[in-house]
């Protein structure tokens, strides 16, 4: 087993015993909500409107100790909460209460109890505690059962409301109505295709065409949507009947990056349509030819891989704010909203950065993307001056199943991986 810190307490994230095993992934479920409270203050007390009532808010003093140059000191805070939860901020004159899972003891029981389960029925029985709030689950057991379980803390709410925004707390009908049963979720057990997957994406392709339908569930069951890694998962799993352990591992290290199958043609089109008078036309001619001939697969000796990653990251950073304002994903912004000129400018910036950092833009990916471990320190002193190892696979952002989260440290030119996720 290994664990993580989740919800501010330890959490057994993945593990197996002789009969059963599981892996958790990050869920896109919407199960933390905000309620706008209409506050009335009288007689030195705080009340909030709820239907025809005015309920008194719960007041609690919290004392926080902290260190100073002269020793320990304390500061006292006054906190309020309604039946929806603690007050956390104010918006347009309303106090905002946050509702979320507040069951730390049950969460510990569920986290530990699943390690003792021996079959799918016992695993689902432990899920009846409904305290795995932020994770989906991939499950398998020695009886041959497999399953994808969607987040099992999902409050029942009015599906006509947009729960990604604060709702009116003075309306009783807006309250949570308990939680959905385990079998109410878009989970999948023993699908006929023989596999389940999740890449921190939506549940509606967990078993390919044998998945549950999005239209059958309230919108709050998922806000993550699709991602390129999910498209890649379907590509390597669909229709396969003869996986060995080695073949499954090989699938997990498949070198394709499906998002570049979408993005690179848009870039090539932008260059083709740019007039000869555009100064970027000539500057980008050679890089465009390299990308045109590329198979869109990662490799340590690939120059187009370097170009594509630096270009993609530049375009991503330029698209993020616009996507947030439009309420769409950055992928949607890049695919449908980025202008031809923005695509070309992002490639020009990538060429300039590669040239400035490595002397030429024709730099193989393995010269840039590295693994380094030269110290036992937790905060690792990454440096270009010490030995490191080239790594072929890249960020999951572009669809790589084998994920390597790398970035620059301490002003380094190379990028060093310090996180990542296995797919298998």
């Amino acid at each position: 087993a290994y664990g993580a810190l989740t919800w501010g307490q330890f959490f057994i994230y993945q593990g197996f015993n002789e009969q059963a095993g599981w892996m958790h992934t990050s869920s896109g479920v919407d199960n933390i909500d905000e309620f706008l409270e209409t506050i009335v203050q009288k007689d030195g007390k705080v009340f909030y409107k709820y239907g025809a009532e005015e309920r008194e808010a719960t007041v609690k003093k919290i004392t926080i100790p902290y260190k100073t140059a002269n020793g320990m000191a304390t500061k006292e805070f006054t906190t309020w909460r309604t039946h929806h939860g603690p007050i956390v901020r104010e918006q347009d004159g309303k106090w905002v209460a946050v509702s979320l899972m507040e069951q730390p003891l049950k969460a510990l029981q569920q986290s530990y109890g699943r390690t003792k389960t021996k079959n799918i029925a016992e695993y689902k029985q432990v899920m009846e505690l409904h305290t795995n709030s932020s994770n989906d689950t991939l499950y398998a057991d020695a009886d041959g059962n497999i399953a994808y379980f969607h987040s099992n803390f999902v409050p029942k709410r009015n599906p006509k409301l947009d729960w990604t925004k604060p709702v009116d707390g003075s309306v009783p009908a807006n309250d949570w109505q308990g939680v959905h049963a385990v079998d109410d979720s878009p989970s999948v057990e023993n699908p006929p295709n023989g596999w389940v997957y999740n890449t921190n994406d939506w549940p509606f392709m967990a078993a390919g065409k044998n998945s549950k339908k999005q239209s059958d569930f309230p919108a709050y069951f998922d806000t993550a949507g699709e991602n390129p890694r999910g498209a890649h998962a379907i590509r390597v799993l669909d229709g396969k009947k003869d996986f060995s352990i080695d073949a499954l591992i090989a699938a997990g290290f498949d070198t394709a990056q499906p998002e570049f199958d979408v993005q690179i043609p848009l870039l090539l089109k932008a260059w083709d349509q740019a007039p000869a008078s555009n100064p970027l036309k000539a500057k980008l001619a050679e890089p465009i030819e390299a990308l045109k001939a590329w198979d869109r697969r990662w490799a340590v000796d690939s120059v187009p891989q370097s170009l594509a990653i630096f270009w993609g990251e530049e375009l991503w950073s330029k698209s993020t704010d616009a996507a947030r304002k439009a309420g769409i994903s950055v992928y949607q912004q890049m695919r449908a909203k980025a202008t031809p000129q923005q695509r070309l400018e992002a490639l020009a910036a990538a060429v300039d950065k590669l040239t400035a950092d490595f002397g030429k833009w024709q730099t193989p990916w393995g010269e840039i993307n590295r693994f380094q471990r030269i110290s036992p320190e937790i905060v690792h002193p990454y440096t270009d001056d010490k030995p490191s190892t080239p790594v072929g696979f890249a960020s999951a952002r572009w669809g790589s199943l084998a994920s390597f989260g790398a970035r620059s440290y301490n002003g380094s030119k190379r990028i060093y991986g310090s996180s990542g996720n296995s797919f298998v």
Side-chain angles (χ1 to χ4, degrees):
Y2 74 79
L5 291 179
T6 304
W7 330 303
Q9 64 186 57
F10 74 79
F11 177 75
I12 301 174
Y13 208 88
Q14 170 179 316
F16 61 92
N17 55 40
E18 290 181 346
Q19 288 82 30
W22 77 94
M23 174 68 203
H24 292 309
T25 58
S26 296
S27 180
V29 66
D30 176 12
N31 57 11
I32 299 177
D33 293 320
E34 292 186 326
F35 290 85
L36 299 172
E37 307 288 20
T38 303
I39 299 299
V40 178
Q41 300 195 39
K42 54 186 178 182
D43 301 326
K45 297 181 179 180
V46 172
F47 297 82
Y48 63 100
K49 292 186 177 181
Y50 184 68
E53 304 175 52
E54 287 184 355
R55 293 187 174 184
E56 185 176 354
T58 302
V59 184
K60 184 178 181 181
K61 302 283 188 180
I62 296 178
T63 302
I64 302 296
Y66 63 98
K67 186 184 289 186
T68 73
N70 300 317
M72 296 300 293
T74 60
K75 184 169 183 177
E76 187 178 76
F77 295 86
T78 300
T79 68
W80 295 267
R81 69 182 293 145
T82 70
H83 72 283
H84 294 124
I87 301 297
V88 295
R89 62 187 181 90
E90 184 183 43
Q91 177 177 306
D92 301 329
K94 305 269 189 179
W95 287 15
V96 180
V98 65
S99 288
L100 72 169
M101 187 195 79
E102 294 184 83
Q103 301 272 357
L105 182 57
K106 283 187 177 181
L108 286 172
Q109 291 173 323
Q110 182 165 343
S111 183
Y112 180 70
R114 68 171 66 96
T115 71
K116 304 303 177 186
T117 59
K118 298 180 176 62
N119 54 56
I120 196 167
E122 291 181 6
Y123 195 94
K124 290 179 70 174
Q125 182 60 42
V126 172
M127 289 176 66
E128 291 297 335
L129 288 168
H130 290 288
T131 50
N132 187 3
S133 68
S134 60
N135 299 101
D136 303 320
T137 304
L138 294 167
Y139 169 91
D141 64 32
D143 297 326
N145 295 299
I146 62 171
Y148 164 82
F149 295 122
H150 198 57
S151 173
N152 89 312
F153 176 78
V154 187
K156 292 181 180 178
R157 287 154 278 180
N158 180 353
K160 296 180 180 178
L161 297 179
D162 180 0
W163 290 95
T164 64
K165 298 181 174 64
V167 301
D168 190 346
S170 69
V171 178
N174 291 349
D175 276 8
W176 286 359
Q177 305 297 319
V179 296
H180 284 277
V182 171
D183 290 332
D184 286 348
S185 291
S187 303
V188 183
E189 298 178 38
N190 295 321
N193 52 294
W195 52 263
V196 289
Y197 92 91
N198 186 257
T199 60
N200 303 332
D201 62 345
W202 66 348
F204 303 112
M205 284 299 286
K209 64 183 179 182
N210 297 296
S211 309
K212 299 292 177 63
K213 291 182 171 60
Q214 185 178 17
S215 58
D216 292 337
F217 296 88
Y220 55 69
F221 268 97
D222 179 73
T223 61
E226 301 174 85
N227 65 33
R229 216 167 169 222
H232 196 176
I234 299 297
R235 183 185 299 184
V236 301
L237 293 172
D238 204 24
K240 303 292 175 61
K241 299 292 184 185
D242 56 352
F243 271 123
S244 63
I245 292 295
D246 288 341
L248 184 61
I249 292 171
F253 285 86
D254 185 81
T255 57
Q257 298 161 108
E259 185 61 20
F260 286 133
D261 290 339
V262 178
Q263 297 292 343
I264 294 298
L266 293 172
L267 172 62
L268 299 179
K269 181 179 178 181
W271 188 84
D272 287 340
Q273 294 181 347
S277 59
N278 189 325
L280 296 180
K281 188 84 171 182
K283 176 178 180 175
L284 300 178
E286 285 188 52
I288 285 290
E289 284 303 312
L291 290 171
K292 192 177 293 185
W294 184 39
D295 61 4
R296 299 159 199 162
R297 290 181 172 273
W298 52 254
V300 292
D301 60 353
S302 174
V303 169
Q305 171 72 9
S306 303
L307 267 176
I309 292 291
F310 276 62
W311 168 73
E313 294 296 335
E314 178 70 18
L315 189 59
W316 183 279
S317 67
K318 298 297 185 186
S319 302
T320 302
D321 286 345
R324 186 181 297 114
K325 290 175 182 176
I328 60 177
S329 72
V330 182
Y331 293 115
Q332 291 170 309
Q333 178 71 27
M334 290 175 63
R335 292 169 184 174
K337 305 285 188 177
T339 67
Q341 184 66 14
Q342 286 173 331
R343 299 183 198 282
L344 296 178
E345 289 174 354
L347 182 59
V351 169
D352 290 345
K353 182 168 177 55
L354 283 165
T355 303
D357 288 353
F358 302 101
K360 58 182 180 179
W361 64 261
Q362 301 94 334
T363 303
W365 178 235
E367 289 295 314
I368 300 168
N369 196 51
R370 313 288 286 191
F371 175 81
Q372 186 177 73
R373 177 57 64 181
I374 56 173
S375 167
E377 295 297 319
I378 292 175
V379 180
H380 191 267
Y382 295 102
T383 174
D384 292 340
D385 298 329
K386 296 288 179 67
S388 58
T389 301
V391 175
F393 50 94
S395 166
R397 175 171 289 176
W398 312 109
S400 179
L401 293 176
S403 170
F404 193 61
R407 64 177 178 86
S408 172
Y409 290 87
N410 309 316
S412 67
K413 305 301 183 185
R414 287 171 158 175
I415 58 175
Y416 297 94
S418 61
S419 66
N421 302 77
S422 63
F423 175 68
V424 175

